[in-house]
Amino acid sequence: MAMADQPAGKSFRLSMLIYDTRYRSITIQVVMLALFALGVWWLLDNMYSNLAKIDKDPDFSFLSSPAGYDISQRLIEYTSQSSNYRAWLVGLLNTLLVAFLGCILATILGVLIGVLRLSKNWVVSRLMTVYIETFRNVPVLLWIIFAMTIFIETLPQPREFRGADAAASMKLWDTVAFTNRGFYIPRPEWGAGSMVVVTVFLLSVVGIFVFGKWARKRQDATGVILPTFWIKLGILILPAVLAFFAMGQPITLNYPALKGFNFAGGWYMRNSLIALWLALSLYTAAFIAEAVRAGIMAIDKGQSEAAGALGLRPNRIMSLVVLPQALRVIIPPLISQYLNLTKNSSLAIAVGYMDVTGTLGGITLNQTGRALESILLLMITYLLISLSISLVMNIYNNSVKLQER
Amino acid sequence: MTQESFVRTEMLSAQPAPPGETGVVKWARENLFSNLLNSLVSLAFMAIIIYYTIAFLGWALQPSWGSTSLTQCREDPNILGACWGVINDRINQLMFGFYPRDQQWRPTLAFVLMLVAIAPVLFDRLPRKLMFFSALFPFLAIWLLWGGTIWAPLLTLSGIAIGYLVLRAVSGIAGDMVAMIVAILVTILWWMFAVSPLDSLITKTIAEPKIESTIAQLEKDEAALIANVAEMESRIAALEAPIAALREPLQALETRVSEDTAVVENLLEELNADIEKGGISIWGFYLWSWDVHSTLSDSEVARLETELAAAQAKLYETRLLFSDTSKALDVQVRSLQAAKTDVSDASILLKESERARADLGLLPSLLESLQALKAEKAAQGPMLDTLAAALPESARRAISASDLPGDVSDAVREAFNAREDALQEFSDLESNIASTENRIAKAYLLAGLVGLEPVESSKFGGLMLSITIGVAGIAFSFPLGIILALGRQSDMFIIKTLSVIYIEFIRGVPLITLLFVASVLLNYFLPPGTSFDLILRVVIMVTLFAAAYMAEVIRGGLAALPSGQYEAADALGLDYWKSMRLIIMPQALKISIPGIVGTFIGLFKDTTLVSIIGLLDPVGLVTSIRGDADWNGIVWELYAVIALMFWVFTFSMSRYSMYLERKLKTTH
């Protein structure tokens, strides 16, 4: 009979460190820790001696020196005399911008395509399959470069909008212009009193949630079902519109107009931003569609049959029975796709969009030569963004977890 | 009881179903036309699909496979869309990068052997003995792709054999675990310290008797090359005349083309100036538009249109003639250019051969000078130390003269400068030694090479590079991912923490930052003076990246396993590794197959990112192809072909994953 433990009182021998299960795990951990520490010490030692040879000790003072280059796409004030730290911040905001826009469009498209993929109509579901398979199986870098090339090669140049017999014309009653340099759309101008309108709008968003809770309580108590969708829509739109007109239309639109050879006024959305946004969204939408499809198919068919037996119509079955259960399965992969989209936005340097990889990891790195510090800061930036998104996912997961024994 | 009842004595045979309920019609009624909305949607989508497919085929199906430049495609009136000549011209480059043409059978052979090596892993109907070949394949593939002596892979394999022998020997004495540790240590030491010196020793032993004959052979080859070059130069002279003869008529044809084009353009302007656009539009976007003539009468329009048709036919003929003549001229120019490139290639080869021959001849004196340099270096070492000791502490750490603190005396400054000079001399000496050793090694390799011609990593490119990095990454990240997953859910605190930190860090950063580390930083972390191949560094980083994702996928599979399985394994008395190998891992891996293959597919697609750090994978090659004067401006054809190449590989991988899932399915 093999004994896993020694009887009490036996003297301690050195080989017991390896063979006795009481001590083995401690031995292994100590050895692993020692090896790890040794490895880290060896790497750091090599690094310091290599850096000393080329006279570049680790030094973060480059962050406060002037950057010396311009960033055309920026959300905050920045000139070529601003510090490298500010360039880093501009890049970070650009990354967050394209990630935010991409996530929204990808979710909308992905959910739509995922639901259509499950349609009974053969043509529609096969078409969606073709879309998903095409976009999932081609690398995202290729899609980004492709999208940029489409914009550059097929859209007209701004100067082709000139003249009485222009080759190209603005759309939507002459308010937007699609050129090969970018999209020019109207920009809102915030006049006096616009803050009131915005506050009223935000309050109405809060009001929607409050109304939803109240309507649900009323339904639970009395069984009366209100047309919540239309009432919520009304709450969203009416107060803001009334406030808008009451304050004398403080928010106006600044339209782009052709001045000379280029457009002036309005909002200039660079083709690099649009191409990156489109490519990332279309690519991630394919993955989100698969996640949505997997989530809906994970719900037992018996659930929808039982709901049908209760007399619910198909759209109510979907919204009241299937989707709430499917969301538990859909949301974790959905959030990890958001994470992937944010990390894929680092490919922006392929199209010249200045995100944090392009400013900190690109031009700043090349100009100051501080490779170690720049890449370390770049990794920490992405790590913080990823960890915060993962934190959101973990909170959601824990809140909807099925309680098992 | 009564006579009205009727009882059958035999069954009626089954009748065929009504025509609307069988076959294609039934399927169409259910899936396409089940209600009004469905029917409208089906018809609308089918119309859109057919329209765009016809448009795409119209662009893609062009007789342009033989074109030799983009301008030729655009001028040829038969070609109205894609210019596939670029693929014909550059397929070799897209597949192999800059790998030498005459050695391209090696990557092809390696690819075929890879398919053979993977087959027994993927399909279990094949004999298990083939797995020996799969285990042997990595060494064979590295040798085929990078070349070099045959001793290097043989010595590496022998390291594994030595390790196994040590394992058997020691386990008899000291027990299994100690034996395993000792065997692994011995193998690693053998690989680190014995393979390289033994390889050079064997090469040197083979080379020494052959030096004379190699020099003689090189001299003969050089003479042949010189004769070749002379013949090619006479060919070049002969080609000049036909080219000159073709240029004049080409000029005349060009003027004719521009005249005819002017006629056509005038007519078109007249007609178009008259056209206004009418149509149905919403918010400035035209759903359907048509042209309307404003001032010209119908008969005038008809007359102008017949004139236009005639002028266009004439222009077409002239352009055909022009394109034929220009093609003929192009062919001649191309032969001339090819001959010129041949001549320059031959002269480069000649120079290299002369240099190699010279080195071989000088081998004894090179060896002597190496000894002398090494002796000098040994002597200078202590001298440097005395110089350093003579300086005060503050001055010793200064990096350059400007860094010295202001209050040092002149004598100290002089001593500092003397030390700087000595340091510079020392490092010059070191680089001298390194280059001499390099020359000696190359000379020995030239004389005594038993193996394949070495090809440097900088010549790798194209699809071959993507497949190499992808396959290497997949193969190494799978076991590493399994170990990380087991580590993450281990009970041992240190191991669990280390695994978690590693996985969360790698999963939080994008691959491009890790590739930046590979290309810029990894050299800092290695001992001074060593440097790894860039492809090897990229493979290491890609493996580390994929291992973290693989670990998460496998962890999901492990978590989906009921805890009863672990408990049953313990009840059977299996220790940790046995229970993992026999019970837990087979089930966990089966559950996580979709995730694993998904990670593989993602890894293969991520190999395109190496184009950003300068390696020439297909996406990176596009820029260099477009930089060529012939293909300047070509866009869609290249991207379509590259996308198709990737799509084929990844789609096959995902189809295989579905096959595997079906095969391993044990539930309903």
Side-chain angles (χ1 to χ4, degrees):
Chain A
M1 191 166 67
M3 288 240 164
D5 273 8
Q6 303 281 358
K10 209 70 190 294
S11 61
F12 177 80
R13 291 200 314 270
L14 210 54
S15 66
M16 279 164 77
L17 276 178
I18 299 182
Y19 291 112
D20 189 335
T21 49
R22 284 175 304 178
Y23 305 115
R24 181 190 281 182
S25 75
I26 301 182
T27 316
I28 294 180
Q29 289 186 69
V30 167
V31 168
M32 286 300 306
L33 195 58
L35 281 177
F36 179 70
L38 209 67
V40 168
W41 178 83
W42 181 70
L43 288 175
L44 286 178
D45 184 51
N46 283 338
M47 188 187 79
Y48 273 106
S49 53
N50 276 325
L51 286 180
K53 263 198 173 174
I54 48 178
D55 305 339
K56 259 200 269 186
D57 288 331
D59 172 16
F60 285 91
S61 64
F62 72 98
L63 281 176
S64 49
S65 51
Y69 60 96
D70 257 324
I71 305 177
S72 45
Q73 164 83 30
R74 57 182 181 267
L75 289 175
I76 56 175
E77 278 307 307
Y78 172 84
T79 67
S80 60
Q81 291 310 310
S82 313
S83 62
N84 277 311
Y85 173 73
R86 201 160 175 87
W88 177 17
L89 219 53
V90 170
L92 182 60
L93 286 173
N94 281 343
T95 299
L96 292 175
L97 173 70
V98 80
F100 180 68
L101 291 176
C103 286
I104 294 179
L105 185 60
T107 314
I108 297 174
L109 271 180
V111 169
L112 196 64
I113 293 174
V115 170
L116 281 179
R117 172 84 175 74
L118 292 166
S119 148
K120 290 266 176 16
N121 190 321
W122 183 85
V123 174
V124 169
S125 82
R126 286 293 164 265
L127 197 62
M128 292 306 138
T129 312
V130 166
Y131 170 90
I132 292 177
E133 289 300 326
T134 315
F135 273 88
R136 273 200 328 170
N137 287 329
V138 177
V140 65
L141 182 63
L142 220 46
W143 285 123
I144 294 177
I145 299 181
F146 214 57
M148 189 66 174
T149 316
I150 291 181
F151 282 124
I152 297 181
E153 299 275 331
T154 56
L155 289 178
Q157 293 186 329
R159 65 181 144 121
E160 290 179 28
F161 286 75
R162 281 184 67 131
D165 199 14
S169 60
M170 299 174 73
K171 309 279 183 219
L172 276 180
W173 300 290
D174 280 354
T175 53
V176 301
F178 302 126
T179 72
N180 73 344
R181 280 203 221 146
F183 291 0
Y184 295 91
I185 59 177
R187 177 178 53 194
E189 301 260 312
W190 309 100
S194 51
M195 264 299 117
V196 177
V197 181
V198 172
T199 327
V200 168
F201 181 72
L202 289 174
L203 282 177
S204 52
V205 170
V206 173
I208 288 179
F209 285 108
V210 170
F211 172 74
K213 275 216 162 92
W214 178 83
R216 186 169 295 270
K217 256 203 272 194
R218 186 146 181 250
Q219 180 181 349
D220 283 343
T222 65
V224 173
I225 301 182
L226 294 167
T228 46
F229 177 69
W230 296 109
I231 299 183
K232 282 180 182 173
L233 201 61
I235 296 182
L236 182 69
I237 297 185
L238 283 176
V241 169
L242 284 175
F244 179 70
F245 283 109
M247 301 301 298
Q249 307 187 18
I251 307 177
T252 53
L253 285 177
N254 186 345
Y255 294 102
L258 188 61
K259 296 225 167 51
F261 282 101
N262 214 339
F263 284 89
W267 229 338
Y268 177 31
M269 302 188 76
R270 269 161 228 285
N271 53 0
S272 53
L273 170 62
I274 308 264
L276 191 62
W277 177 23
L278 258 180
L280 284 175
S281 305
L282 289 173
Y283 179 78
T284 314
F287 290 89
I288 294 181
E290 281 293 282
V292 166
R293 183 174 80 104
I296 295 184
M297 278 172 46
I299 307 302
D300 211 301
K301 194 156 186 284
Q303 295 285 305
S304 37
E305 288 175 353
L310 281 176
L312 291 173
R313 288 174 168 258
N315 62 330
R316 297 216 123 208
I317 295 180
M318 189 56 91
S319 66
L320 290 176
V321 176
V322 176
L323 269 183
Q325 299 182 62
L327 274 175
R328 183 189 292 122
V329 182
I330 293 177
I331 299 253
L334 186 72
I335 298 193
S336 78
Q337 288 305 325
Y338 289 165
L339 211 57
N340 280 343
L341 191 145
T342 311
K343 287 189 288 181
N344 281 336
S345 71
S346 64
L347 295 174
I349 37 179
V351 290
Y353 180 72
M354 281 294 161
D355 72 328
V356 69
T357 315
T359 57
L360 183 60
I363 303 192
T364 302
L365 189 153
N366 283 329
Q367 279 191 345
T368 62
R370 298 258 155 226
L372 180 68
E373 299 86 345
S374 309
I375 294 186
L376 195 63
L377 289 175
L378 188 64
M379 283 184 166
I380 292 178
T381 311
Y382 275 110
L383 207 56
L384 285 175
I385 300 178
S386 308
L387 286 177
S388 13
I389 298 182
S390 303
L391 195 66
V392 168
M393 170 157 80
N394 278 334
I395 294 177
Y396 175 80
N397 261 348
N398 284 332
S399 71
V400 298
K401 200 157 55 170
L402 290 173
Q403 298 303 324
E404 288 194 22
R405 55 171 174 85
Chain B
M1 213 154 27
T2 58
Q3 272 143 330
E4 286 92 42
S5 68
F6 168 72
V7 175
R8 272 192 182 287
T9 50
E10 73 256 348
M11 290 299 291
L12 274 178
S13 55
Q15 304 268 349
E21 292 293 321
T22 56
V24 183
V25 181
K26 171 172 187 238
W27 175 87
R29 282 178 69 174
E30 275 182 12
N31 292 324
L32 294 176
F33 303 112
S34 52
N35 56 27
L36 182 62
L37 179 63
N38 248 349
S39 319
L40 286 175
V41 164
S42 304
L43 288 173
F45 272 95
M46 281 198 286
I48 294 178
I49 293 174
I50 292 175
Y51 175 72
Y52 277 110
T53 315
I54 293 182
F56 174 72
L57 286 177
W59 172 83
L61 296 175
Q62 301 290 338
S64 50
W65 191 253
S67 315
T68 49
S69 79
L70 189 59
T71 34
Q72 198 182 61
C73 268
R74 297 285 171 255
E75 284 171 1
D76 193 336
N78 288 326
I79 299 177
L80 297 161
C83 193
W84 298 114
V86 69
I87 309 296
N88 193 11
D89 198 22
R90 296 297 174 123
I91 188 72
N92 226 294
Q93 202 177 20
L94 281 172
M95 288 278 181
F96 299 108
F98 294 104
Y99 211 81
R101 276 244 175 171
D102 52 344
Q103 303 289 325
Q104 275 173 5
W105 59 272
R106 283 158 51 182
T108 323
L109 183 63
F111 182 70
V112 169
L113 288 178
M114 177 186 86
L115 294 177
V116 170
I118 300 185
V121 175
L122 297 183
F123 304 108
D124 62 353
R125 295 246 190 95
L126 296 169
R128 297 290 95 195
K129 292 277 167 78
L130 264 178
M131 294 277 248
F132 279 113
F133 179 69
S134 310
L136 227 54
F137 174 72
F139 302 96
L140 184 60
I142 294 180
W143 180 63
L144 273 176
L145 287 174
W146 272 274
T149 60
I150 199 175
W151 315 117
L154 283 179
L155 284 169
T156 321
L157 275 173
S158 65
I160 297 185
I162 290 178
Y164 180 69
L165 287 172
V166 166
L167 180 70
R168 297 298 290 274
V170 176
S171 71
I173 306 176
D176 268 340
M177 197 135 183
V178 175
M180 178 74 86
I181 296 174
V182 170
I184 292 182
L185 266 177
V186 165
T187 313
I188 293 182
L189 285 174
W190 171 267
W191 282 344
M192 278 171 59
F193 295 115
V195 169
S196 213
L198 272 179
D199 184 18
S200 347
L201 186 63
I202 299 180
T203 311
K204 190 167 124 173
T205 332
I206 296 186
E208 294 211 304
K210 286 175 47 177
I211 292 186
E212 295 294 332
S213 53
T214 319
I215 294 183
Q217 180 65 33
L218 280 175
E219 277 175 354
K220 254 196 292 181
D221 289 339
E222 282 169 33
L225 262 179
I226 293 179
N228 227 354
V229 165
E231 183 233 320
M232 282 194 279
E233 287 186 333
S234 63
R235 233 191 323 142
I236 288 177
L239 277 172
E240 306 275 358
I243 291 181
L246 278 171
R247 285 201 195 277
E248 259 196 49
L250 200 63
Q251 291 274 27
L253 277 172
E254 218 176 334
T255 27
R256 261 181 70 188
V257 164
S258 48
E259 283 169 9
D260 289 341
T261 320
V263 168
V264 167
E265 278 183 353
N266 282 333
L267 283 170
L268 269 175
E269 236 187 87
E270 260 193 74
L271 277 171
N272 284 340
D274 192 45
I275 289 179
E276 284 178 351
K277 201 167 184 174
I280 306 174
S281 74
I282 298 183
W283 301 326
F285 288 99
Y286 273 103
L287 288 176
W288 192 1
S289 66
W290 55 78
D291 299 332
V292 169
H293 283 281
S294 51
T295 53
L296 292 175
S297 75
D298 277 345
S299 59
E300 282 182 350
V301 169
R303 181 185 58 88
L304 277 174
E305 285 186 345
T306 29
E307 265 189 53
L308 180 66
Q312 276 174 334
K314 183 152 174 280
L315 176 63
Y316 183 83
E317 273 185 37
T318 321
R319 283 176 74 188
L320 255 170
L321 201 55
F322 178 75
S323 90
D324 286 340
T325 321
S326 101
K327 265 197 204 155
L329 178 66
D330 222 27
V331 162
Q332 300 286 356
V333 167
R334 241 153 243 294
S335 330
L336 182 71
Q337 277 174 351
K340 285 198 181 149
T341 352
D342 283 343
V343 167
S344 78
D345 283 345
S347 37
I348 292 179
L349 273 176
L350 198 64
K351 277 211 200 74
E352 279 182 14
S353 167
E354 281 176 355
R355 202 173 339 128
R357 188 164 52 90
D359 267 353
L360 264 179
L362 290 173
L363 210 48
S365 64
L366 275 178
L367 285 166
E368 267 184 43
S369 62
L370 183 66
Q371 297 284 44
L373 284 171
K374 281 195 172 156
E376 224 189 293
K377 176 177 169 183
Q380 280 211 355
M383 185 181 77
L384 273 179
D385 288 334
T386 34
L387 276 180
L391 286 175
E393 186 61 38
S394 55
R396 201 176 309 163
R397 269 184 295 131
I399 296 181
S400 70
S402 47
D403 273 350
L404 285 172
D407 57 342
V408 292
S409 63
D410 281 337
V412 173
R413 231 178 255 279
E414 263 185 48
F416 183 80
N417 286 332
R419 178 166 167 256
E420 283 297 299
D421 292 336
L423 275 175
Q424 184 64 33
E425 258 190 62
F426 191 73
S427 86
D428 284 343
L429 200 59
E430 279 187 325
S431 47
N432 223 347
I433 290 180
S435 69
T436 317
E437 282 179 336
N438 213 354
R439 281 170 71 185
I440 294 177
K442 275 216 176 95
Y444 275 131
L445 205 59
L446 184 62
L449 179 68
V450 177
L452 296 169
E453 182 189 321
V455 177
E456 320 166 320
S457 295
S458 55
K459 297 226 175 87
F460 279 42
L463 190 61
M464 178 186 95
L465 182 65
S466 288
I467 295 181
T468 308
I469 298 179
V471 168
I474 289 174
F476 292 129
S477 69
F478 190 50
L480 195 56
I482 293 179
I483 294 178
L484 276 173
L486 290 176
R488 184 165 180 171
Q489 63 157 32
S490 140
D491 288 328
M492 296 189 255
F493 177 70
I494 300 281
I495 296 188
K496 180 168 171 168
T497 318
L498 288 177
S499 307
V500 167
I501 292 179
Y502 174 84
I503 293 176
E504 290 305 322
F505 178 75
I506 298 279
R507 273 169 44 103
V509 293
L511 181 58
I512 191 75
T513 52
L514 291 175
L515 288 179
F516 281 168
V517 168
S519 76
V520 172
L521 280 190
L522 207 55
N523 273 331
Y524 291 172
F525 290 115
L526 299 171
T530 62
S531 85
F532 270 162
D533 209 26
L534 181 59
I535 294 186
L536 182 60
R537 283 183 267 151
V538 164
V539 166
I540 291 176
M541 276 302 160
V542 163
T543 306
L544 294 178
F545 184 76
Y549 284 80
M550 190 71 67
E552 280 297 285
V553 167
I554 296 177
R555 184 172 81 104
L558 284 170
L561 220 48
S563 56
Q565 299 289 311
Y566 294 89
E567 293 165 359
D570 277 345
L572 281 173
L574 297 170
D575 67 9
Y576 182 77
W577 290 108
K578 278 221 178 66
S579 66
M580 280 298 150
R581 187 165 61 91
L582 294 172
I583 298 186
I584 309 291
M585 271 302 151
Q587 298 183 63
L589 290 178
K590 186 177 91 173
I591 295 178
S592 27
I593 285 174
I596 292 179
V597 178
T599 311
F600 287 169
I601 294 177
L603 177 56
F604 187 67
K605 288 187 302 181
D606 282 340
T607 57
T608 50
L609 266 63
V610 300
S611 60
I612 298 190
I613 53 169
L615 282 176
L616 291 170
D617 82 320
V619 177
L621 277 174
V622 166
T623 331
S624 92
I625 293 181
R626 288 178 65 179
D628 195 307
D630 278 343
W631 301 110
N632 196 8
I634 203 160
V635 165
W636 310 112
E637 296 83 345
L638 282 173
Y639 288 131
V641 165
I642 295 175
L644 189 65
M645 286 197 297
F646 276 101
W647 189 88
V648 163
F649 277 98
T650 49
F651 191 67
S652 331
M653 283 198 254
S654 63
R655 282 287 137 180
Y656 173 74
S657 132
M658 290 163 97
Y659 155 79
L660 199 59
E661 273 180 77
R662 265 198 311 256
K663 190 179 76 160
L664 296 175
K665 202 173 191 170
T666 49
T667 59
H668 296 291

